């Protein structure tokens, strides 16, 4: 399995998740690292995944638990 790096500028951490923008639904979907790169997806390291914020009016959907988040 190839090691993929975070797509953020100046970040050299290993990617752990893939962010996909679903323009039709104004959703930013964060899921497990995708098998291959796709046009509207970005690989993110753990830190950048955790700090992810969606553009105004967009919704962030997380499909991965990067840490032991407490349920609300
Ligand atoms: Zn990063």
């Amino acid at each position: 399995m190839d090691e993929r790096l975070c797509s953020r500028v100046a970040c050299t951490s290993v990617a752990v998740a893939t962010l996909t923008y679903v323009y039709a639904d104004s959703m930013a979907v964060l899921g497990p690292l995708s098998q291959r790169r796709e046009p509207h997806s970005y690989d993110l390291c753990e830190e950048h995944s955790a700090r992810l914020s969606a553009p105004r009016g967009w919704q962030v959907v997380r499909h991965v638990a990067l840490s032991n988040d407490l349920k609300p």
Side-chain angles (χ1 to χ4, degrees):
M1 189 168 132
D2 291 332
E3 217 176 49
R4 300 234 299 267
L5 299 179
C6 181
S7 60
R8 292 287 193 219
V9 175
C11 182
T12 55
S13 300
V14 176
V16 296
T18 295
L19 174 67
T20 305
Y21 288 112
V22 183
Y23 293 94
D25 298 323
S26 294
M27 285 196 317
V29 181
L30 189 67
L33 196 62
S34 63
Q35 295 294 314
R36 55 183 171 177
R37 287 181 166 280
E38 289 174 38
H40 298 296
S41 68
Y42 303 86
D43 296 335
L44 295 177
C45 66
E46 187 163 2
E47 185 186 346
H48 279 122
S49 300
R51 297 200 323 212
L52 172 70
S53 60
R56 188 180 295 271
W58 283 57
Q59 185 182 358
V60 175
V61 178
R62 292 172 190 270
H63 287 303
V64 282
L66 296 169
S67 56
N68 294 321
D69 293 323
L70 294 173
K71 301 276 183 198

